[in-house]
Amino acid sequence: MKVLVINCGSSSLKYQLIDSESENVLAKGIVERIGMDGSILTHKPAGKDKVEIKTPMEDHNIAVKLVIDALVNKDHGVINDLSEIGAVGHRVVHGGEKFNKAVLITDEVKKDIEALSALAPLHNPANLIGINACEKNMPGVPQAAIFDTAFHQTMPAPAYMYGLPYEYYEKYKVRRYGFHGTSHDYVSARTAEILGKKREDLKIVVCHLGNGASISAVKNGKCVDTSMGLTPLEGLIMGTRSGDLDPAILSYIGEKENLSAAEVNNVLNKKSGVFGLSGGVSSDFRDLNAAANEGNDKARLALDTYYYRVAKYIAGYAVALQGIDVISFTAGVGENDFGVRENVCKLLAFMGVKIDDEKNKIRGEEITISTPDSAITVMVVPTNEELAIARQTIALL
Ligand code: AMP
């Protein structure tokens, strides 16, 4: 069966068409600037050149229609007919406490996703728009919701509660939810598979280090802690997000800079992280490494602070897991930036972590980079959230 995987943002839509038997990606692409000037669809069929389709797209319905047209197109299409698509899997960011696993979409599920928009105002409404647009353009095709938060629902209360008045949890559901769950689930499962062990027998720390970044502690196959919180702002220092900070900084900066709460929130989400700390050099680690190597002190500081935060979280998760068997690095930075892995592991040398410098320089492959005498196995395991979504969609059918 062919599964269309959809990741819908407020003005964008990423997609992959995956053959569930071979698990090959038949085509993938992205629609950008939906509802704005300059809407564009970039479509990449497997084994063929990518095509760019620039045409006004006033809403997601039109975007989905254009994606379908591209998939069945005579020249750059990969299927003959829409009926070849057996199911659609949607990435949905927030499933709250209601969803601890993927579900087939019904009207009831859509209402729940809408109700959870209060917790993810930028994401859930966009996910819902994508779901509605697919329902309209592919009537009768089963659709599934795969939640970013679901894998983390196994966390125990001491890991998910904040030190706040209890009534905020009761009234507003303020607690840690965690994100990137599909990736943490996939990478921890793959880690065990590569090692030829059962995930149920392992204590794994997954470091999903991309533009957004989060760490999770996976014990006996279940998530017991993760670094992102009520929103994807908590935890590690990210590309442009601050991660953890003293909550009093919010009102202090608001007063000093004459910013509203929403404006401070914007600074913490879009102008902070390694981008902000480096004095605006970049949120991209390739640029930061280049700048640091050329002697830019702020870029160096941003990188060193980033390494330190990652290592501190990993060591902290030794408590959550009561020991660590494996550390797995994944996502854009985790898979590609050997300096991040090297420096984080150096900070963990006191725990007996030792890596092989040559193996660590290999990029983007499934590989064990620790030495045989390392107390903890360290691996690079490329994530594949789209494949994980396609697999979960098929499992639901
Ligand atoms: P993601 O959000 O997982 O797609 O990760 C995107 C980030 O990965 C980019 O912003 C870069 O910081 C980082 N990245 C991608 N390629 C490389 C590379 N070759 N070296 C270092 N960092 C990289």
Side-chain angles (χ1 to χ4, degrees):
M1 182 190 288
K2 294 175 181 81
V3 180
L4 181 61
V5 175
I6 298 276
N7 181 355
C8 214
S10 56
S11 66
S12 70
L13 186 158
K14 288 189 207 145
Y15 63 93
Q16 282 195 10
L17 186 67
I18 297 178
D19 182 288
S20 67
E21 277 99 52
S22 65
E23 299 201 326
N24 287 334
V25 177
L26 304 174
K28 61 180 175 181
I30 179 167
V31 191
E32 294 166 285
R33 303 187 62 81
I34 301 169
M36 304 177 196
D37 286 344
S39 309
I40 175 167
L41 162 61
T42 310
H43 174 73
K44 173 81 183 76
K48 291 188 205 162
D49 290 340
K50 73 172 184 198
V51 276
E52 287 187 345
I53 297 158
K54 292 180 185 160
T55 177
M57 296 179 222
E58 81 189 37
D59 59 27
H60 285 71
N61 270 323
I62 296 173
V64 168
K65 185 150 188 347
L66 285 165
V67 169
I68 293 170
D69 289 348
L71 291 170
V72 299
N73 184 280
K74 261 200 308 44
D75 302 319
H76 51 257
V78 291
I79 51 176
N80 294 318
D81 191 87
L82 182 57
S83 64
E84 289 182 45
I85 299 176
V88 185
H90 292 268
R91 176 185 182 208
V92 178
V93 166
H94 221 304
E97 289 186 322
K98 172 110 193 174
F99 296 104
N100 59 9
K101 55 180 187 316
V103 291
L104 282 173
I105 294 168
T106 60
D107 286 346
E108 173 107 31
V109 168
K110 286 204 291 181
K111 275 193 203 126
D112 289 332
I113 294 172
E114 190 170 7
L116 287 162
S117 291
L119 292 173
L122 298 179
H123 295 100
N124 274 31
N127 300 152
L128 206 49
I129 289 171
I131 290 168
N132 285 326
C134 287
E135 276 184 354
K136 198 164 169 191
N137 287 281
M138 288 178 260
V141 178
Q143 305 207 43
I146 286 75
F147 299 94
D148 262 27
T149 49
F151 181 63
H152 303 303
Q153 275 299 301
T154 48
M155 280 187 288
Y160 70 68
M161 289 304 289
Y162 291 116
L164 287 169
Y166 191 80
E167 63 183 283
Y168 295 159
Y169 171 60
E170 292 178 303
K171 285 200 282 193
Y172 312 120
K173 293 285 170 207
V174 172
R175 52 158 284 180
R176 175 186 313 287
Y177 291 95
F179 298 87
H180 297 135
T182 310
S183 176
H184 288 286
D185 184 15
Y186 173 88
V187 171
S188 56
R190 190 70 200 125
T191 295
E193 224 169 77
I194 297 166
L195 293 173
K197 296 194 173 154
K198 287 201 190 122
R199 186 164 65 162
E200 289 68 28
D201 296 333
L202 290 170
K203 298 169 179 177
I204 308 171
V205 175
V206 178
C207 306
H208 177 110
L209 310 178
N211 202 20
S214 67
I215 302 206
S216 69
V218 182
K219 188 178 187 184
N220 308 334
K222 294 203 164 100
C223 176
V224 291
D225 206 348
T226 193
S227 59
M228 282 178 168
L230 173 76
T231 75
L233 185 55
E234 193 183 349
L236 301 177
I237 293 171
M238 308 180 211
T240 61
R241 285 175 241 167
S242 65
D244 297 340
L245 37 78
D246 179 346
I249 292 171
L250 275 70
S251 58
Y252 184 73
I253 292 298
E255 256 169 53
K256 292 282 177 201
E257 295 272 312
N258 199 18
L259 299 174
S260 67
E263 285 166 336
V264 174
N265 203 28
N266 191 48
V267 171
L268 300 186
N269 272 293
K270 303 213 170 124
K271 299 190 176 154
S272 301
V274 286
F275 169 79
L277 195 45
S278 65
V281 168
S282 177
S283 62
D284 191 306
F285 278 67
R286 288 164 285 202
D287 303 332
L288 287 165
N289 286 324
N293 290 337
E294 279 162 19
N296 185 315
D297 291 341
K298 287 185 188 140
R300 171 59 51 212
L301 173 71
L303 290 169
D304 288 342
T305 313
Y306 181 91
Y307 306 147
Y308 179 68
R309 178 80 55 94
V310 174
K312 205 159 81 160
Y313 259 96
I314 296 173
Y317 284 169
V319 176
L321 296 167
Q322 295 292 294
I324 301 174
D325 297 320
V326 195
I327 301 167
S328 286
F329 286 94
T330 195
V333 178
E335 290 166 29
N336 295 299
D337 192 317
F338 65 84
V340 165
R341 298 192 296 260
E342 179 186 322
N343 285 288
V344 168
C345 289
K346 251 189 215 160
L347 289 165
L348 298 172
F350 78 97
M351 293 169 84
V353 173
K354 275 193 220 166
I355 60 165
D356 178 319
D357 288 338
E358 288 313 306
K359 284 190 179 152
N360 184 40
K361 293 212 170 98
I362 296 170
R363 268 197 16 218
E365 274 181 31
E366 289 180 341
I367 187 169
T368 297
I369 59 168
S370 49
T371 57
D373 62 339
S374 176
I376 296 174
T377 303
V378 184
M379 299 170 71
V380 179
V381 179
T383 192
N384 193 338
E385 287 166 286
E386 292 78 14
L387 177 60
I389 289 174
R391 283 181 181 167
Q392 290 191 43
T393 303
I394 291 288
L396 283 169
L397 297 177

CSV table of all heavy atoms in Angstrom, one decimal, residues 15 21-22 69 95 117 157 231 270 287 303 332 336 383:
chain,number,residue,atom,x,y,z
A,15,TYR,N,5.4,16.7,2.5
A,15,TYR,CA,4.7,15.4,2.2
A,15,TYR,C,5.8,14.4,1.8
A,15,TYR,O,6.8,14.8,1.2
A,15,TYR,CB,3.6,15.6,1.2
A,15,TYR,CG,4.1,16.0,-0.1
A,15,TYR,CD1,4.4,15.1,-1.2
A,15,TYR,CD2,4.2,17.4,-0.4
A,15,TYR,CE1,4.9,15.5,-2.4
A,15,TYR,CE2,4.7,17.8,-1.7
A,15,TYR,CZ,5.0,16.9,-2.6
A,15,TYR,OH,5.5,17.3,-3.8
A,21,GLU,N,5.3,-1.5,1.6
A,21,GLU,CA,6.0,-2.8,1.5
A,21,GLU,C,7.5,-2.7,1.4
A,21,GLU,O,8.2,-3.2,2.2
A,21,GLU,CB,5.5,-3.6,0.3
A,21,GLU,CG,4.2,-4.4,0.6
A,21,GLU,CD,2.9,-3.6,0.0
A,21,GLU,OE1,3.0,-3.3,-1.2
A,21,GLU,OE2,2.0,-3.4,0.8
A,22,SER,N,7.9,-1.9,0.4
A,22,SER,CA,9.4,-1.7,0.2
A,22,SER,C,9.9,-0.6,1.2
A,22,SER,O,11.1,-0.6,1.4
A,22,SER,CB,9.7,-1.3,-1.2
A,22,SER,OG,9.2,0.0,-1.4
A,69,ASP,N,-2.1,16.4,-7.7
A,69,ASP,CA,-1.9,16.6,-9.2
A,69,ASP,C,-0.4,16.2,-9.5
A,69,ASP,O,-0.1,15.6,-10.5
A,69,ASP,CB,-2.1,18.0,-9.6
A,69,ASP,CG,-3.6,18.3,-9.6
A,69,ASP,OD1,-4.4,17.3,-9.5
A,69,ASP,OD2,-4.0,19.5,-9.7
A,95,GLY,N,-1.1,16.0,21.4
A,95,GLY,CA,-2.1,15.1,21.7
A,95,GLY,C,-2.5,15.1,23.2
A,95,GLY,O,-3.4,14.3,23.6
A,117,SER,N,-5.7,22.7,20.8
A,117,SER,CA,-5.0,23.9,20.2
A,117,SER,C,-4.6,24.9,21.2
A,117,SER,O,-3.6,25.6,21.0
A,117,SER,CB,-6.0,24.6,19.2
A,117,SER,OG,-6.1,23.7,18.1
A,157,ALA,N,4.7,10.8,37.0
A,157,ALA,CA,4.3,12.2,37.5
A,157,ALA,C,5.5,13.0,37.9
A,157,ALA,O,5.6,14.2,37.6
A,157,ALA,CB,3.2,12.1,38.6
A,231,THR,N,5.5,23.2,26.2
A,231,THR,CA,5.7,23.6,24.8
A,231,THR,C,7.1,23.2,24.3
A,231,THR,O,7.9,22.8,25.2
A,231,THR,CB,5.6,25.2,24.6
A,231,THR,OG1,6.8,25.7,25.1
A,231,THR,CG2,4.4,25.7,25.3
A,270,LYS,N,12.4,32.8,18.8
A,270,LYS,CA,12.9,33.0,17.4
A,270,LYS,C,14.3,33.7,17.4
A,270,LYS,O,14.9,33.8,16.4
A,270,LYS,CB,11.9,33.9,16.6
A,270,LYS,CG,10.5,33.2,16.6
A,270,LYS,CD,9.8,33.5,15.3
A,270,LYS,CE,8.6,32.6,15.1
A,270,LYS,NZ,7.4,33.4,14.9
A,287,ASP,N,27.5,27.1,9.9
A,287,ASP,CA,27.9,28.5,10.0
A,287,ASP,C,28.6,28.8,11.3
A,287,ASP,O,29.6,29.5,11.4
A,287,ASP,CB,26.7,29.5,9.9
A,287,ASP,CG,26.0,29.2,8.6
A,287,ASP,OD1,26.5,28.7,7.6
A,287,ASP,OD2,24.7,29.5,8.6
A,303,LEU,N,28.5,27.5,20.9
A,303,LEU,CA,28.8,26.1,20.8
A,303,LEU,C,29.1,25.4,22.1
A,303,LEU,O,28.6,24.4,22.5
A,303,LEU,CB,29.9,25.8,19.8
A,303,LEU,CG,29.6,26.1,18.3
A,303,LEU,CD1,30.8,26.1,17.4
A,303,LEU,CD2,28.5,25.1,17.8
A,332,GLY,N,19.4,16.5,12.4
A,332,GLY,CA,20.3,17.3,11.6
A,332,GLY,C,21.7,17.5,12.2
A,332,GLY,O,22.7,17.2,11.7
A,336,ASN,N,25.0,14.9,11.8
A,336,ASN,CA,26.1,15.4,11.0
A,336,ASN,C,27.2,16.1,11.7
A,336,ASN,O,28.3,16.2,11.1
A,336,ASN,CB,25.4,16.4,10.0
A,336,ASN,CG,24.5,15.8,9.0
A,336,ASN,OD1,24.9,14.9,8.3
A,336,ASN,ND2,23.2,16.1,9.1
A,383,THR,N,17.3,9.5,12.2
A,383,THR,CA,15.9,9.4,12.4
A,383,THR,C,15.1,9.3,11.1
A,383,THR,O,15.7,9.7,10.0
A,383,THR,CB,15.4,10.6,13.3
A,383,THR,OG1,14.0,10.3,13.7
A,383,THR,CG2,15.4,11.9,12.6
